[in-house]
Amino acid sequence: MAVAAGAKGRIPFREYRTWYRLTGTPGRGRPAVVVVHGGPGSTHDYLIGLSSLSEDGWPVVHYDQLGNGGSTHLPDAGADFWTVGLFLEELDNLLRHLGVADDYVLVGQSWGGMLAARHAADRPGGLRGLVIANSPASYPLWRQEMEALRAALPPGVDATLRAHEVAGTTHTEEYAEAVKVFNDRHVCRVRPLPPAYVASVMETANDPTVYHTMNGPSEFHVVGTLKDWSVEDRLPDIAVPTLVLSGRHDEATPATVRPFLERIPDVRWEILEESSHMPHLEEPELFHATLVDFLKSLDGRRSDG
């Protein structure tokens, strides 16, 4: 049974709770757009602008993945708890509970795009389309490209980063300042930083359990449990129209994105020239127009299941 328009709250997932927010009303002709945030270990906040899609008839679902934001926090859970399977199960549970599992589009950003692609590869019957924004197809590719991006940082920055990584002092202010140099180039180029982005950064900092466990201490020092994970082998199984988005200055470089283009049967790729990893914040009008154009192309289409 579908939830009411404008609802938000926490739904049961195993013995935990997943926070969600619904903008708009499902079941009125256009599929729900379910937004899958990045991290892993971030929150929905930095993607809240996508709720404006409801003004054109697409109900929008945001949620915080387990471990962060308004969902249940588990700071003592071990690395074996935080798995891709856990977050796939949580997404399935969300879709069922909100009553949108029969008619929805996934918009996944960064890690969320990989998670959404893996979900889509199982060919759920209600999935109408897929948007993969600023996502690599594999962490090995991501780590490889991080080496190139690090090498191009201003003199001395990468040496500072590596010294702290070797010493295990990635919690220090000096490391944070060097990380900022990278992030200013390849994560978000807007100044001052958008409040929605800052909100997610602060939420992650308040409880970095998931991010540190699955990713590592920074975007480019991936030493967590996902360091060898890839969705490349499942991409040919995706059977819905797919839009891939990335920024010209993105940490998700073309090399990390290209497998989506080579392996998903029905796919197109748009690069936003003035953006890095957050084109929805860096070029919001163009991002919105590109997304709406894709969503409109799905009108009247139904998955074969």
Side-chain angles (χ1 to χ4, degrees):
M1 181 176 179
V3 298
K8 62 181 178 180
R10 305 205 315 161
I11 64 172
F13 170 56
R14 298 185 182 177
E15 62 266 45
Y16 315 116
R17 293 290 185 272
T18 299
W19 182 93
Y20 77 92
R21 166 179 164 162
L22 171 65
T23 308
T25 306
R28 294 189 173 178
R30 279 179 162 167
V33 174
V34 180
V35 182
V36 188
H37 68 69
S42 187
T43 62
H44 79 284
D45 301 86
Y46 75 104
L47 292 161
I48 196 63
L50 273 67
S51 59
S52 65
L53 291 169
S54 66
E55 298 169 10
D56 293 310
W58 291 283
V60 180
V61 175
H62 287 87
Y63 75 107
D64 287 336
Q65 294 162 25
L66 191 67
N68 289 89
S71 297
T72 303
H73 289 238
L74 296 157
D76 298 322
D80 58 344
F81 178 83
W82 303 108
T83 64
V84 173
L86 171 77
F87 292 107
L88 288 170
E89 183 185 343
E90 182 185 36
L91 176 55
D92 287 340
N93 181 71
L94 177 84
L95 297 171
R96 289 193 303 270
H97 188 93
L98 299 185
V100 300
D102 291 335
D103 194 21
Y104 66 102
V105 175
L106 286 185
V107 178
Q109 201 275 336
S110 198
W111 137 263
M114 296 183 74
L115 190 69
R118 178 61 187 80
H119 171 94
D122 286 338
R123 300 191 177 187
L127 182 65
R128 307 302 175 211
L130 174 65
V131 179
I132 300 170
N134 317 103
S135 308
S138 85
Y139 276 94
L141 275 177
W142 176 271
R143 290 189 286 117
Q144 172 184 305
E145 288 298 287
M146 288 302 106
E147 292 299 315
L149 295 180
R150 289 174 67 139
L153 293 173
V157 175
D158 193 36
T160 297
L161 292 168
R162 292 184 188 277
H164 284 288
E165 289 160 4
V166 170
T169 53
T170 55
H171 59 283
T172 61
E173 184 64 28
E174 186 178 46
Y175 187 78
E177 286 299 315
V179 167
K180 185 176 182 297
V181 176
F182 179 93
N183 290 351
D184 287 351
R185 285 187 172 198
H186 300 298
V187 179
C188 185
R189 291 157 56 90
V190 177
R191 296 296 173 273
L193 290 171
Y197 172 75
V198 173
S200 282
V201 170
M202 292 179 67
E203 288 277 9
T204 305
N206 287 338
D207 185 355
T209 303
V210 182
Y211 187 74
H212 285 175
T213 300
M214 299 185 76
N215 185 83
S218 67
E219 295 292 278
F220 46 79
H221 189 48
V222 180
V223 293
T225 56
L226 288 179
K227 66 185 180 67
D228 296 318
W229 186 55
S230 172
V231 295
E232 289 185 82
D233 62 331
R234 293 302 310 272
L235 297 179
D237 298 323
I238 295 175
V240 293
T242 301
L243 171 65
V244 175
L245 295 165
S246 63
R248 178 63 65 190
H249 311 282
D250 207 329
E251 58 181 345
T253 66
T256 71
V257 171
R258 196 162 289 114
F260 294 122
L261 283 300
E262 295 173 345
R263 301 191 182 200
I264 297 176
D266 183 358
V267 63
R268 73 177 219 228
W269 184 14
E270 299 287 344
I271 300 175
L272 283 78
E273 294 293 334
E274 302 302 321
S275 294
S276 59
H277 200 53
M278 303 282 166
H280 60 284
L281 298 174
E282 296 166 291
E283 295 180 82
E285 294 84 4
L286 179 57
F287 181 92
H288 180 85
T290 304
L291 186 54
V292 165
D293 179 68
F294 173 72
L295 292 173
K296 284 182 176 178
S297 76
L298 304 176
D299 284 350
R301 298 185 62 158
R302 286 296 180 264
S303 170
D304 294 328

PDB file of all heavy atoms in Angstrom, residues 156-171:
ATOM      1  N   GLY A 156      53.746  18.804  -3.638  1.00  0.00           N
ATOM      2  CA  GLY A 156      53.794  18.560  -2.206  1.00  0.00           C
ATOM      3  C   GLY A 156      52.525  18.020  -1.598  1.00  0.00           C
ATOM      4  O   GLY A 156      52.558  17.412  -0.512  1.00  0.00           O
ATOM      5  N   VAL A 157      51.401  18.194  -2.265  1.00  0.00           N
ATOM      6  CA  VAL A 157      50.128  17.776  -1.673  1.00  0.00           C
ATOM      7  C   VAL A 157      50.053  16.252  -1.562  1.00  0.00           C
ATOM      8  O   VAL A 157      49.731  15.703  -0.507  1.00  0.00           O
ATOM      9  CB  VAL A 157      48.936  18.320  -2.479  1.00  0.00           C
ATOM     10  CG1 VAL A 157      47.620  17.765  -1.922  1.00  0.00           C
ATOM     11  CG2 VAL A 157      48.914  19.836  -2.446  1.00  0.00           C
ATOM     12  N   ASP A 158      50.360  15.567  -2.656  1.00  0.00           N
ATOM     13  CA  ASP A 158      50.275  14.111  -2.612  1.00  0.00           C
ATOM     14  C   ASP A 158      51.291  13.525  -1.645  1.00  0.00           C
ATOM     15  O   ASP A 158      51.011  12.540  -0.956  1.00  0.00           O
ATOM     16  CB  ASP A 158      50.467  13.518  -4.015  1.00  0.00           C
ATOM     17  CG  ASP A 158      50.081  12.048  -4.067  1.00  0.00           C
ATOM     18  OD1 ASP A 158      49.110  11.667  -3.382  1.00  0.00           O
ATOM     19  OD2 ASP A 158      50.749  11.290  -4.776  1.00  0.00           O
ATOM     20  N   ALA A 159      52.470  14.132  -1.563  1.00  0.00           N
ATOM     21  CA  ALA A 159      53.474  13.647  -0.611  1.00  0.00           C
ATOM     22  C   ALA A 159      52.969  13.765   0.825  1.00  0.00           C
ATOM     23  O   ALA A 159      53.182  12.860   1.652  1.00  0.00           O
ATOM     24  CB  ALA A 159      54.770  14.432  -0.775  1.00  0.00           C
ATOM     25  N   THR A 160      52.283  14.856   1.126  1.00  0.00           N
ATOM     26  CA  THR A 160      51.698  15.026   2.460  1.00  0.00           C
ATOM     27  C   THR A 160      50.636  13.973   2.723  1.00  0.00           C
ATOM     28  O   THR A 160      50.595  13.362   3.808  1.00  0.00           O
ATOM     29  CB  THR A 160      51.076  16.431   2.583  1.00  0.00           C
ATOM     30  OG1 THR A 160      52.106  17.413   2.439  1.00  0.00           O
ATOM     31  CG2 THR A 160      50.385  16.612   3.923  1.00  0.00           C
ATOM     32  N   LEU A 161      49.780  13.761   1.744  1.00  0.00           N
ATOM     33  CA  LEU A 161      48.735  12.746   1.891  1.00  0.00           C
ATOM     34  C   LEU A 161      49.342  11.367   2.155  1.00  0.00           C
ATOM     35  O   LEU A 161      48.936  10.651   3.081  1.00  0.00           O
ATOM     36  CB  LEU A 161      47.876  12.697   0.630  1.00  0.00           C
ATOM     37  CG  LEU A 161      46.995  13.922   0.352  1.00  0.00           C
ATOM     38  CD1 LEU A 161      46.435  13.852  -1.064  1.00  0.00           C
ATOM     39  CD2 LEU A 161      45.868  14.021   1.366  1.00  0.00           C
ATOM     40  N   ARG A 162      50.321  10.996   1.360  1.00  0.00           N
ATOM     41  CA  ARG A 162      50.909   9.659   1.485  1.00  0.00           C
ATOM     42  C   ARG A 162      51.660   9.491   2.809  1.00  0.00           C
ATOM     43  O   ARG A 162      51.630   8.402   3.401  1.00  0.00           O
ATOM     44  CB  ARG A 162      51.821   9.377   0.299  1.00  0.00           C
ATOM     45  CG  ARG A 162      51.059   9.234  -1.000  1.00  0.00           C
ATOM     46  CD  ARG A 162      51.937   8.853  -2.177  1.00  0.00           C
ATOM     47  NE  ARG A 162      51.183   8.923  -3.413  1.00  0.00           N
ATOM     48  CZ  ARG A 162      50.380   7.955  -3.875  1.00  0.00           C
ATOM     49  NH1 ARG A 162      50.242   6.840  -3.186  1.00  0.00           N
ATOM     50  NH2 ARG A 162      49.741   8.107  -5.026  1.00  0.00           N
ATOM     51  N   ALA A 163      52.292  10.547   3.270  1.00  0.00           N
ATOM     52  CA  ALA A 163      53.000  10.452   4.543  1.00  0.00           C
ATOM     53  C   ALA A 163      52.031  10.122   5.667  1.00  0.00           C
ATOM     54  O   ALA A 163      52.320   9.277   6.539  1.00  0.00           O
ATOM     55  CB  ALA A 163      53.731  11.756   4.838  1.00  0.00           C
ATOM     56  N   HIS A 164      50.878  10.753   5.661  1.00  0.00           N
ATOM     57  CA  HIS A 164      49.876  10.487   6.703  1.00  0.00           C
ATOM     58  C   HIS A 164      49.231   9.117   6.518  1.00  0.00           C
ATOM     59  O   HIS A 164      48.924   8.435   7.513  1.00  0.00           O
ATOM     60  CB  HIS A 164      48.811  11.579   6.702  1.00  0.00           C
ATOM     61  CG  HIS A 164      49.279  12.864   7.325  1.00  0.00           C
ATOM     62  ND1 HIS A 164      49.474  13.000   8.680  1.00  0.00           N
ATOM     63  CD2 HIS A 164      49.603  14.064   6.776  1.00  0.00           C
ATOM     64  CE1 HIS A 164      49.890  14.234   8.952  1.00  0.00           C
ATOM     65  NE2 HIS A 164      49.986  14.902   7.805  1.00  0.00           N
ATOM     66  N   GLU A 165      49.026   8.714   5.283  1.00  0.00           N
ATOM     67  CA  GLU A 165      48.427   7.401   5.039  1.00  0.00           C
ATOM     68  C   GLU A 165      49.339   6.288   5.519  1.00  0.00           C
ATOM     69  O   GLU A 165      48.892   5.305   6.119  1.00  0.00           O
ATOM     70  CB  GLU A 165      48.091   7.267   3.552  1.00  0.00           C
ATOM     71  CG  GLU A 165      46.913   8.150   3.142  1.00  0.00           C
ATOM     72  CD  GLU A 165      46.822   8.428   1.657  1.00  0.00           C
ATOM     73  OE1 GLU A 165      47.645   7.876   0.888  1.00  0.00           O
ATOM     74  OE2 GLU A 165      45.933   9.208   1.260  1.00  0.00           O
ATOM     75  N   VAL A 166      50.632   6.436   5.280  1.00  0.00           N
ATOM     76  CA  VAL A 166      51.600   5.440   5.744  1.00  0.00           C
ATOM     77  C   VAL A 166      51.689   5.437   7.270  1.00  0.00           C
ATOM     78  O   VAL A 166      51.763   4.382   7.912  1.00  0.00           O
ATOM     79  CB  VAL A 166      52.992   5.710   5.132  1.00  0.00           C
ATOM     80  CG1 VAL A 166      54.052   4.840   5.793  1.00  0.00           C
ATOM     81  CG2 VAL A 166      52.964   5.443   3.620  1.00  0.00           C
ATOM     82  N   ALA A 167      51.643   6.626   7.862  1.00  0.00           N
ATOM     83  CA  ALA A 167      51.794   6.746   9.314  1.00  0.00           C
ATOM     84  C   ALA A 167      50.511   6.428  10.075  1.00  0.00           C
ATOM     85  O   ALA A 167      50.536   6.296  11.311  1.00  0.00           O
ATOM     86  CB  ALA A 167      52.262   8.152   9.670  1.00  0.00           C
ATOM     87  N   GLY A 168      49.394   6.317   9.356  1.00  0.00           N
ATOM     88  CA  GLY A 168      48.125   6.072  10.023  1.00  0.00           C
ATOM     89  C   GLY A 168      47.578   7.299  10.741  1.00  0.00           C
ATOM     90  O   GLY A 168      46.845   7.175  11.720  1.00  0.00           O
ATOM     91  N   THR A 169      47.921   8.480  10.238  1.00  0.00           N
ATOM     92  CA  THR A 169      47.497   9.725  10.880  1.00  0.00           C
ATOM     93  C   THR A 169      46.535  10.498   9.975  1.00  0.00           C
ATOM     94  O   THR A 169      46.603  11.725   9.877  1.00  0.00           O
ATOM     95  CB  THR A 169      48.717  10.592  11.241  1.00  0.00           C
ATOM     96  OG1 THR A 169      49.541  10.760  10.062  1.00  0.00           O
ATOM     97  CG2 THR A 169      49.538   9.943  12.320  1.00  0.00           C
ATOM     98  N   THR A 170      45.630   9.768   9.335  1.00  0.00           N
ATOM     99  CA  THR A 170      44.687  10.407   8.420  1.00  0.00           C
ATOM    100  C   THR A 170      43.605  11.199   9.157  1.00  0.00           C
ATOM    101  O   THR A 170      42.777  11.849   8.519  1.00  0.00           O
ATOM    102  CB  THR A 170      44.027   9.358   7.512  1.00  0.00           C
ATOM    103  OG1 THR A 170      43.413   8.350   8.327  1.00  0.00           O
ATOM    104  CG2 THR A 170      45.062   8.704   6.607  1.00  0.00           C
ATOM    105  N   HIS A 171      43.608  11.156  10.473  1.00  0.00           N
ATOM    106  CA  HIS A 171      42.647  11.917  11.263  1.00  0.00           C
ATOM    107  C   HIS A 171      43.131  13.342  11.551  1.00  0.00           C
ATOM    108  O   HIS A 171      42.405  14.132  12.155  1.00  0.00           O
ATOM    109  CB  HIS A 171      42.393  11.214  12.596  1.00  0.00           C
ATOM    110  CG  HIS A 171      43.633  11.041  13.417  1.00  0.00           C
ATOM    111  ND1 HIS A 171      44.560  10.060  13.131  1.00  0.00           N
ATOM    112  CD2 HIS A 171      44.118  11.737  14.476  1.00  0.00           C
ATOM    113  CE1 HIS A 171      45.569  10.156  14.007  1.00  0.00           C
ATOM    114  NE2 HIS A 171      45.307  11.169  14.827  1.00  0.00           N
TER     115      HIS A 171
END
